């Protein structure tokens, strides 16, 4: 059977979508390989959030053009957000592309790949086996970027590695928030949630296969189900879901990402203090510390409200880690606006932050706003803010030296396979030496060193 290679750009939701596609190809007998040079089918699952992500995927597919010439039997496809945003127009510059599939059609990819493989390898046997008699139908590239009702429920299967300790579970697709810088509502469509029963079923299955930690995924994960399901006992559908997943026996840790600050109502704060399996980490996108910029971004909270929320979350669970996303250089951001962001970041002392330079996305309101900020000003603010973030990260990691932390061992360390790695409940990476038998186990580790973004320690035998 043909071999496929899938490369993923962008966020964890894209990673999860790629695993769904891989699962459906494996189920048809395809073999997964780790490099495009070994593959018959090359799929790029794309991201559109920043221009750089677009350019990377386009550049990669451009380079694959030579391969397409030398090996005409191969199939090349674009999947996901950029495929959705650009559709068939991608074929103009990259005519060797055979397949373009948008964000609501991942479940159709295997069927389309099968058709294309057959078209490019038209032996009598394959035509007969797959039942295609009219090859004319299969001569063109396949482009499918249509909407599909119920597509949120199609991201539900994944192949696990033999010792996989953690897994992602997609709980909703799309976003109705329309932040003015963001292309996601265009590429992912409006919010659509899966049912609690379906999600719990998937988590149970993952746990029965050895998974100990799940992360619930969605573009605005804590607004899960707000259009589909009612509040019960003053609890939002998201809190109802957390409670239901929390009950799955054998599940040790529960995480969620990415939430929106406006979705943190009292019921969720209370759930954070009440549900012990919820890990002590919240990723809470700030985007800016200037109220003027937050308003222009359409973020619906103020810097003061954000500060108050951080304080409430920290009160709800002792030692909880808070990480964030920040955009510098949004249109109209003055030196004073940037200062306000910097001051807020210093005041909050985040465990970590992703700092992005604003990247105009065509079709979003911010791209057409006046007073676009010069690239080198964005660069300077980015570097400056990263320093502030690195300092707070460093301080927080240093404080952990000498303490004992619970680590879920995920496997060999990426940089040194002889060592093991895992994460604390606060999502810090810990590297340590130990027996492979510790993989998938909760291990207590005494922290001895902190370096960059990682901790190093020795496991304690209890
Ligand atoms: S909440 Fe805003 S930034 Fe997040 S996906 Fe929705 S529109 Fe984009």
């Amino acid at each position: 059977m043909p071999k496929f290679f899938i490369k993923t750009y962008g966020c964890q939701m894209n990673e999860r979508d790629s695993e769904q596609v891989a699962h459906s190809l494996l189920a048809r007998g395809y073999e997964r390989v780790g490099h495009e040079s070994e593959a018959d089918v090359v799929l790029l699952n794309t991201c559109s959030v920043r221009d750089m992500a677009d350019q990377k995927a386009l550049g990669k597919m451009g380079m694959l053009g030579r391969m397409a010439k030398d090996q005409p039997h191969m199939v090349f496809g674009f999947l996901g957000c950029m495929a959705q945003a650009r559709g068939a127009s991608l074929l103009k510059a990259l005519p060797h592309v055979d397949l373009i599939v948008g964000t609501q059609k991942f479940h159709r990819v295997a069927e389309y790949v099968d058709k294309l493989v057959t078209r490019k390898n038209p032996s009598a046997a394959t035509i007969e086996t797959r039942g295609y008699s009219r090859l004319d139908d299969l001569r063109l590239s396949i482009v499918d970027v249509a909407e599909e009702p119920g597509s949120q429920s199609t991201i539900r299967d994944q192949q696990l590695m033999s010792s996989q300790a953690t897994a992602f579970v997609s709980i909703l697709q799309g976003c109705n928030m329309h932040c003015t810088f963001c292309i996601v509502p265009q590429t992912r469509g409006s919010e659509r949630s899966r049912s609690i029963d379906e999600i719990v079923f998937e988590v149970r299955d993952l746990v029965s296969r050895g998974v100990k930690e799940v992360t619930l995924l969605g573009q605005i994960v804590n607004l899960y189900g707000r259009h589909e399901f009612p509040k019960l006992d003053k609890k939002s559908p998201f809190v109802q879901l957390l409670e239901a997943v929390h009950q799955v026996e054998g599940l040790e840790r529960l995480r969620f990402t990415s939430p929106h600050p406006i979705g943190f109502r009292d019921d969720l704060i209370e759930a954070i203090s009440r549900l012990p399996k919820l890990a002590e980490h919240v990723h809470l996108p700030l985007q800016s510390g200037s109220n003027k910029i937050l308003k222009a971004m359409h973020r619906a909270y103020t810097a003061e409200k954000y500060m108050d929320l951080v304080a409430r979350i920290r009160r709800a669970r002792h030692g909880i880690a808070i990480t964030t996303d920040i955009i510098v250089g949004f249109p109209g951001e003055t030196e004073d606006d940037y200062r306000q962001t910097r001051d807020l970041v210093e005041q909050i002392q985040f465990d970590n932050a992703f700092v992005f330079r604003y990247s105009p996305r065509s079709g979003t309101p911010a791209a057409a706003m006046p007073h676009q900020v010069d690239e080198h000003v964005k660069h300077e603010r980015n570097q400056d803010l990263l320093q502030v973030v690195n300092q707070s990260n460093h301080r927080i990691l240093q404080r952990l030296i000498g303490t004992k932390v619970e680590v879920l061992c995920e496997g060999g360390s990426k940089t040194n396979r002889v060592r093991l790695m895992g994460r604390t409940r606060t999502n810090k990476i810990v590297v340590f030496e130990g027996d492979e038998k510790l993989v998938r186990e909760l291990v207590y580790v005494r922290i001895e060193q902190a370096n960059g973004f990682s901790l190093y320690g020795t496991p304690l035998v209890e």
Side-chain angles (χ1 to χ4, degrees), residues 175 177-179 181-182 184-185 219-220 260 287 299:
C175 178
M177 296 303 288
H178 296 286
C179 300
F181 54 81
C182 185
V184 165
Q219 269 84 26
I220 37 170
H260 193 296
Q287 309 303 8
R299 288 294 289 179

Side-chain angles (χ1 to χ4, degrees), residues 93-358:
L94 297 161
H96 63 282
V97 172
D98 304 289
L99 180 64
I100 295 175
V101 177
T103 54
Q104 302 198 23
K105 299 287 182 158
F106 289 109
H107 57 294
R108 305 291 303 275
V109 171
E111 173 197 335
Y112 293 148
V113 165
D114 236 7
K115 282 188 180 176
L116 289 160
V117 166
T118 307
R119 167 168 75 82
K120 292 193 146 187
N121 303 272
S123 74
T126 53
I127 293 167
E128 200 178 307
T129 325
R130 302 193 183 282
Y132 300 131
S133 54
R134 289 176 53 238
L135 283 177
D136 283 356
D137 289 348
L138 304 169
R139 212 159 278 156
L140 297 169
S141 298
I142 297 175
V143 179
D144 188 354
V145 293
E147 288 183 10
E148 183 161 327
S151 61
Q152 71 275 19
S153 297
T154 61
I155 308 297
R156 60 175 181 221
D157 308 299
Q158 52 190 313
Q159 219 74 27
L160 297 179
M161 283 179 296
S162 60
S163 55
Q164 195 169 325
T166 64
F168 294 117
V169 173
S170 171
I171 67 166
L172 84 155
Q173 294 276 333
C175 178
N176 291 9
M177 296 303 288
H178 296 286
C179 300
T180 54
F181 54 81
C182 185
I183 197 154
V184 165
Q186 288 169 48
T187 59
R188 291 271 175 178
S190 36
E191 291 160 30
R192 291 113 48 218
S193 296
R194 299 171 71 191
S195 73
I196 291 181
D197 285 352
E198 264 181 56
I199 297 164
V200 169
F201 182 85
E202 184 177 339
V203 174
R204 265 207 204 102
D205 175 60
L206 290 167
V207 170
S208 75
R209 292 193 276 154
V211 165
K212 299 269 171 64
E213 172 185 307
V214 297
T215 303
L216 306 179
L217 289 180
Q219 269 84 26
I220 37 170
V221 72
N222 54 341
L223 295 174
Y224 162 84
R226 63 176 168 157
H227 307 294
E228 292 93 346
F229 313 118
K231 276 190 167 181
L232 290 177
D233 293 337
K234 298 193 183 149
K235 289 175 194 161
S236 66
F238 184 61
V239 170
Q240 295 168 42
L241 173 67
L242 289 178
E243 287 179 345
V245 173
H246 195 270
Q247 280 179 14
V248 173
E249 223 164 289
L251 180 73
E252 299 281 358
R253 292 178 177 181
L254 177 56
R255 302 184 190 275
F256 57 86
T257 199
S258 272
H260 193 296
I262 67 153
F264 276 88
R265 307 263 156 73
D266 289 347
D267 61 332
L268 179 52
I269 304 276
E270 193 262 341
I272 289 172
S273 70
R274 174 167 55 89
L275 300 176
K277 289 182 187 176
L278 264 183
E280 290 86 354
H281 171 221
V282 171
H283 185 71
L284 193 64
L286 165 65
Q287 309 303 8
S288 172
S290 151
N291 289 339
K292 180 190 100 189
I293 296 297
L294 285 171
K295 195 168 176 203
M297 287 176 163
H298 223 155
R299 288 294 289 179
Y301 53 86
T302 60
E304 294 74 23
K305 283 208 166 131
Y306 185 93
M307 280 292 288
D308 179 59
L309 177 56
V310 168
R312 286 194 296 138
I313 292 172
R314 283 179 170 160
R315 273 199 303 274
R317 186 76 81 89
H318 175 70
I320 197 163
I322 300 188
T323 55
T324 196
D325 296 328
I326 299 161
I327 296 172
V328 292
F330 185 81
E333 185 189 72
T334 61
E335 201 49 44
D336 184 49
D337 294 316
Y338 170 66
R339 270 284 128 195
Q340 292 175 39
T341 301
R342 192 184 197 281
D343 289 349
L344 198 66
V345 171
E346 263 194 329
Q347 215 177 325
I348 290 177
Q349 293 284 298
F350 289 105
D351 288 65
N352 206 346
F354 296 102
V355 181
F356 303 103
R357 280 175 272 169
Y358 168 71

